[in-house]
Structure formats: structure tokens, C-alpha cells
Amino acid sequence: MTTLTRRALMALLAMVLASCTLFGCSSQTAGDEPAESGGRSVAPAAETETETETDRTVTDMKGDEVVVPADNNTILTVNSVATQMVVMLGGEECVATLGQGFQYGDESLNKKMFPGLDGVKAFTRDDATVENVAVIDPGLVVIDVEDTVSALRDAGIPAAFVSVNSPDTIMQAVDIIGGAIGGDAIERASAYRAFYESALAEAQAKSAGIAEDEKPTVLYLRSTEKTTGEGSMPDSWITAAGGVNVAARLGLSGSGVDINVETIMNENPSIIICESEQVRDEIMGGAAYAELDAVKNSQVYAAPLGTAVWSMGTAEAALMVSWAGTVINPELYADVDIDATTTGFFKEFYGYDLSEAELDAIFHR
């Protein structure tokens, strides 16, 4: 494994960062000139003894150990999933950027929950150059591009490779981000893992006795022309909840594979779960789909949408398992109060009390 450390920051920057309060997160210094190397240097092996007891070390998904400075708990993210995890674990003060796709419009739940993010810079993978990142000066960059990780590290900027595509990697990403933030975030990450593992175990226990030929067939649609097959996030919760993923049965794999009307009609799934209300309405209102059993039986649903859509690789995928069970095998989930489960999750992990209206909006009711 590769151990990444850093030399001391410039004295002026250290004084600015020392003013940090809640969570120990630093103020952004967008107006400061970056150091010639991009703000930090990677210390040679002989200098590792300079690491203080309060520096935090995390192991990324490539097995590399990354040292996060003690005086900077801000996390730079390039996608909405990672941003969501930062606010869940550390709050607004630890958010250095809003990753691509993070919903922060005036009517979004994120805006209501995290008003302090107003004005935080939006950021994408393409934006993550050494020069751009050095200006923001985060404690850690979380990104799923190996070349970018290498370039940032070469410039002395702590960067961790994190890529989410399964329940295990979601939990691992939360652990990494929690460890980088430190303090209470570590315990919260541990509690999140326990919640997710419990939800998966409960679903598997409930569906264990269902005969294969009695399992409902489920099609997940990202759009009317895109589905998700074996190895995708929807595949994980469909199977955990006791359903058969139609796309996987067709031999498809991945998170964005083509499907057409003819195939959908031929497969005639019992249940269709769509990534958005728009797709759901297109299926329910489209003449081409009128003879589908799922349409005739009103078994076409839009995946819940909280701070992000639950059905893909997001933090709220931990809730998707239980919700999916209530629509795929409702008789087995009669004892699950999904409203109460959701309210409890938001209170525990976001510190936010959902209203009845917000619950209705999440479930598109």
C-alpha cells in the first residue's frame, strides 16, 4: 500500500485553518494563491515521523492509505453521491464542493435541509485539475478517476479513489468519508453500516422461502429505453427483496443497457420500477404499454426521491431495500412501516425531522 503524507502548510494558511470550529472543518480559502506545488507536498518516507496524532488516515478503494490533515476536514466531491455522504456524516461545514448532479434547486429537499450550502461551488470530474483543487484547498478529494487521483497526489493534495456500484461499496465509501472527517462522523458511519446490513439481512430472511417460480418479475427502467442488468444497484435490491430482475434474466449487465418496447412487452414484467415520475407516467400513459400486466394492475412505480434517488448508488439506497420489499412482496413486508423507517433514518443520519408533506413528496404520493 502507498502511504501519503504532507509537509506543514504555509504559516498564513495554518492560521486561517486554525479558526475552524464545528467538526473541525476549515473555511475555504478560494481567494488565496495556491502553493507552487498545488497547496501541499507529499512528504518523503524519511519524514513520516512528522505526522501528528490527530492526522487522520483512510484507506481508499485501491488499498492506498491517504493522510488527511488534522486541521482540515473539508471534502471535495465531484458527484452527487459523495456530496450526499459528506452532508450525512459531517454537515454543511465539511462540504467543499457540490458534486455533479447534487439537487439544490429552490424546491429541493437538500435546500431545505442544508441551507448553508447556498453558494458552494458546483464541481465535476473535469473540474478536478490540480490548479482548481489547490484554490479550494480541501482536506481530501474523493473521486473515481484514477489518473486524477495520481495527478493530485503528485501535487501533494490528499486524494482517495472511491467508486460506488454496490451495497458493499456504498458502505465502504461512507466509512472512508467518515474516517476523513473524523470525530462523530466515524461513529455515524459505523451506525450507517449497521443500518444497511440489517436492512439487507431482513430482506434476505423474508425472501428466503420464496420458490424461484413464485418470485415476481421486476423491470427497472432508467428511461423507456434504458434498464439495469446483473451487477447493478437495482439488481441488488430486486433480488434481496425476493424479485427476479427481468434485465438480468435476459443476460444483460450493467447500469445503463438498452431495452425496447418489444422486449418489454414480450417479457411482460409483473412490476415496473422507474427512476423518475416522468418515466413512470410515460409507461402508464403510453398506448404501446397498455397491455402490460404491470400497467393493468397499477404496479408501475417511481423510485423514492429524498436527497437523491434511492434506487441507484446513493446513501439512501439503504432505505430502498425495505421500500422495494413493500411493493415486490407486500405480504411479506406487512410489518414494515416505511414512513416510520424513513423518518427515523433522516433523523438519525441527517438530524432532520421530515414533515408529512415531505414524506409524501419522497414517495410521489
Side-chain angles (χ1 to χ4, degrees):
M1 294 189 294
T2 303
T3 300
L4 305 177
T5 60
R6 66 185 185 95
R7 294 194 183 107
L9 292 171
M10 296 179 294
L12 177 61
L13 182 57
M15 286 188 291
V16 174
L17 296 179
S19 64
C20 164
T21 54
L22 185 62
F23 299 104
C25 300
S26 68
S27 300
Q28 294 183 19
T29 55
D32 293 348
E33 290 296 323
E36 183 177 346
S37 64
R40 295 190 179 89
S41 300
V42 178
E47 297 184 25
T48 57
E49 67 273 15
T50 63
E51 180 179 327
T52 67
E53 291 183 356
T54 52
D55 282 344
R56 300 169 302 283
T57 301
V58 297
T59 302
D60 75 2
M61 292 184 179
K62 291 294 183 181
D64 291 336
E65 290 182 351
V66 185
V67 175
V68 183
D71 52 4
N72 191 341
N73 289 21
T74 58
I75 313 293
L76 185 151
T77 56
V78 299
N79 60 60
S80 60
V81 173
T83 306
Q84 179 198 33
M85 292 176 179
V86 176
V87 293
M88 182 178 77
L89 296 173
E92 298 153 319
E93 295 79 5
C94 294
V95 176
T97 56
L98 301 183
Q100 185 174 14
F102 187 75
Q103 298 187 19
Y104 203 69
D106 289 339
E107 300 303 316
S108 69
L109 187 56
N110 285 317
K111 187 107 175 187
K112 296 177 185 177
M113 292 171 61
F114 308 109
L117 297 180
D118 197 19
V120 175
K121 181 179 177 65
F123 221 73
T124 70
R125 293 171 179 86
D126 292 339
D127 292 327
T129 63
V130 169
E131 294 77 16
N132 288 341
V133 173
V135 169
I136 295 172
D137 188 40
L140 180 69
V141 177
V142 171
I143 192 167
D144 56 359
V145 183
E146 292 185 60
D147 288 347
T148 303
V149 170
S150 297
L152 293 172
R153 290 175 177 178
D154 288 344
I157 299 173
F161 180 86
V162 175
S163 179
V164 168
N165 53 26
S166 67
D168 285 343
T169 54
I170 290 174
M171 289 183 275
Q172 188 178 354
V174 169
D175 286 340
I176 291 168
I177 291 171
I181 294 172
D184 292 342
I186 297 174
E187 294 181 4
R188 189 171 294 186
S190 179
Y192 176 87
R193 176 177 284 275
F195 180 96
Y196 204 161
E197 289 178 342
S198 176
L200 287 169
E202 180 182 16
Q204 289 159 0
K206 287 179 180 296
S207 61
I210 307 175
E212 197 64 29
D213 60 356
E214 294 180 357
K215 292 181 177 180
T217 54
V218 183
L219 178 66
Y220 181 78
L221 291 176
R222 306 203 71 178
S223 71
T224 55
E225 298 176 346
K226 294 288 183 182
T227 186
T228 57
E230 186 177 3
S232 65
M233 277 300 304
D235 187 55
S236 72
W237 49 257
I238 289 171
T239 55
V244 174
N245 181 4
V246 169
R249 187 174 66 180
L250 289 169
L252 303 175
S253 62
S255 295
V257 290
D258 294 337
I259 195 165
N260 55 40
V261 175
E262 291 75 20
T263 301
I264 294 172
M265 297 303 297
N266 287 338
E267 293 300 315
N268 193 21
S270 305
I271 298 163
I272 299 176
I273 298 175
C274 306
E275 195 157 313
S276 67
E277 287 184 286
Q278 178 183 351
V279 178
R280 179 199 63 189
D281 293 345
E282 288 176 2
I283 297 297
M284 286 297 293
Y289 307 102
E291 294 305 311
L292 286 172
D293 287 346
V295 172
K296 290 189 289 187
N297 296 327
S298 297
Q299 296 288 292
V300 182
Y301 305 91
L305 173 65
T307 65
V309 67
W310 292 9
S311 51
M312 298 302 291
T314 71
E316 284 155 40
L319 289 165
M320 185 66 183
V321 182
S322 298
W323 178 84
T326 65
V327 299
I328 294 173
N329 282 300
E331 68 286 352
L332 297 179
Y333 282 78
D335 61 334
V336 173
D337 185 338
I338 194 62
D339 282 16
T341 301
T342 303
T343 300
F345 180 94
F346 272 70
K347 180 65 174 178
E348 179 176 4
F349 295 106
Y350 294 121
Y352 186 79
D353 292 312
L354 286 170
S355 68
E356 288 296 326
E358 288 165 342
L359 271 173
D360 288 344
I362 287 172
F363 296 116
H364 312 289
R365 295 194 289 232

